[in-house]
């Protein structure tokens, strides 16, 4: 079974703080994703990465950055947290699309509250 | 722009009945649709994928249909159980082959 592990389940931060959300997968997947999920808005893609050191913006990248220094690890960074970034953050991974993989495996989620 | 829409109202049914959830898509023709289950406070878990050339797919008590004329997928749970209570998400490929776009999900409540 593919496992996607998000390091923090619950975080409470103050406005202006720098926040790191870490995600690790153990199945050598090429692709990794960060979504945020809000009531009534569903899952929205923030950033994704299709290889080490490669990244692409999703639909709502503003206020976020990412880092992928190793294949198994994909970090989401909030440089200066704001209250409108209070949300559930979900990391996911997927194998190679060229190999036919198109299903996402998600982590358990990180619920971030910014005060 | 491409859209996936699911009924935002919760679906309440009695144990033993068949639950039917709807996913509609507009402005594009997805090559496949996926269904995920999400429990409160947890990440979504993949259930089933159906391709555009497949009319129906089954897995145990789950059945998914794909109607390209109606631009709709239906997700059925037969002989529903309280343990089936969760939010069910529909998803499909977005612009660019890497992206997956999700509907907002429909919450299913199965009463004993």
């Amino acid at each position: 079974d593919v496992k996607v592990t998000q390091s923090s389940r619950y975080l409470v931060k103050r406005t202006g703080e720098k926040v790191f959300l870490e995600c690790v997968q153990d199945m050598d997947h090429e692709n990794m994703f960060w979504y945020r999920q809000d009531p009534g808005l569903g899952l929205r893609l923030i950033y994704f990465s299709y290889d080490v050191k490669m990244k692409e913006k999703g639909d709502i990248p503003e206020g976020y950055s990412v880092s992928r220094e190793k294949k198994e690890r994909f970090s989401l960074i909030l440089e200066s947290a704001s209250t409108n970034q209070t949300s559930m953050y979900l990391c996911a991974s997927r194998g190679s699309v060229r190999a036919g993989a198109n299903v996402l495996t998600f982590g358990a989620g990180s619920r971030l509250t910014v005060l | 722009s491409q859209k996936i829409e699911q009924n935002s109202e919760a679906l309440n049914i009695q144990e033993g009945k068949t639950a039917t959830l709807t996913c509609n898509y507009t402005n594009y023709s997805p090559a496949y649709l996926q269904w995920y289950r999400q429990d409160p406070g947890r990440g979504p878990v993949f259930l089933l994928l159906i391709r555009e050339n497949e009319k129906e797919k089954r897995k145990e008590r789950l059945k998914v249909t794909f109607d390209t004329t109606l631009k709709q997928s239906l997700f059925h749970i037969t002989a529903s159980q309280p343990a089936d209570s969760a939010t069910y998400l529909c998803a499909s490929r977005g612009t660019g082959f890497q992206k997956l776009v999700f509907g907002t999900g429909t919450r299913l409540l199965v009463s004993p």
Side-chain angles (χ1 to χ4, degrees):
Chain A
D1 262 4
V2 177
K3 282 207 172 50
V4 177
T5 303
Q6 294 183 232
S7 56
S8 305
R9 291 282 282 128
Y10 301 95
L11 302 99
V12 180
K13 299 291 182 180
R14 297 208 174 273
T15 301
E17 279 192 81
K18 190 168 186 175
V19 182
F20 291 88
L21 298 179
E22 304 283 342
C23 176
V24 176
Q25 51 97 1
D26 66 358
M27 281 300 289
D28 202 35
H29 279 176
E30 293 180 356
N31 304 288
M32 296 188 74
F33 305 80
W34 275 106
Y35 287 86
R36 64 177 280 179
Q37 185 174 31
D38 302 285
L41 297 177
L43 278 83
R44 293 179 292 166
L45 181 64
I46 305 172
Y47 266 97
F48 65 97
S49 169
Y50 51 91
D51 203 349
V52 175
K53 296 193 189 294
M54 306 304 286
K55 62 186 179 188
E56 281 204 26
K57 293 179 180 179
D59 300 315
I60 52 162
E62 296 79 20
Y64 303 95
S65 62
V66 290
S67 171
R68 190 150 180 219
E69 296 297 316
K70 293 185 177 182
K71 192 173 185 179
E72 67 270 19
R73 188 178 298 269
F74 192 34
S75 303
L76 180 69
I77 303 151
L78 288 67
E79 293 289 342
S80 177
S82 62
T83 54
N84 63 13
Q85 291 178 310
T86 292
S87 186
M88 169 71 107
Y89 289 88
L90 290 159
C91 175
S93 76
R94 183 181 67 196
S96 167
V97 172
R98 281 177 291 278
N102 44 27
V103 169
L104 296 184
T105 300
F106 284 88
S110 298
R111 182 161 293 283
L112 172 66
T113 301
V114 183
L115 302 175
Chain B
S1 62
Q2 355 175 249
K3 258 183 147 178
I4 289 188
E5 291 175 320
Q6 296 181 257
N7 192 346
S8 58
E9 287 184 25
L11 176 64
N12 289 276
I13 65 167
Q14 275 208 304
E15 184 175 9
K17 302 287 187 189
T18 296
T20 298
L21 308 177
T22 305
C23 174
N24 295 297
Y25 58 90
T26 54
N27 298 329
Y28 76 124
S29 299
Y32 59 79
L33 285 165
Q34 302 180 10
W35 285 88
Y36 291 76
R37 169 185 171 138
Q38 187 174 23
D39 291 292
R42 311 296 294 182
V45 174
F46 170 74
L47 295 174
L48 279 169
L49 179 151
I50 185 165
R51 299 187 187 280
E52 61 179 339
N53 60 351
E54 297 173 318
K55 290 277 190 259
E56 183 179 296
K57 202 88 170 271
R58 289 177 186 261
K59 179 182 173 184
E60 297 170 355
R61 293 184 297 111
L62 308 180
K63 184 179 89 170
V64 174
T65 62
F66 194 169
D67 189 326
T68 54
T69 303
L70 293 178
K71 291 183 177 288
Q72 182 179 83
S73 175
L74 298 179
F75 177 82
H76 306 272
I77 305 176
T78 58
S80 58
Q81 304 165 1
D84 294 326
S85 298
T87 296
Y88 292 86
L89 303 169
C90 174
S92 184
R93 201 181 82 184
T95 53
F97 69 98
Q98 295 282 12
K99 292 166 70 171
L100 202 62
V101 176
F102 285 82
T104 53
T106 299
R107 190 164 166 229
L108 173 66
L109 297 167
V110 182
S111 307

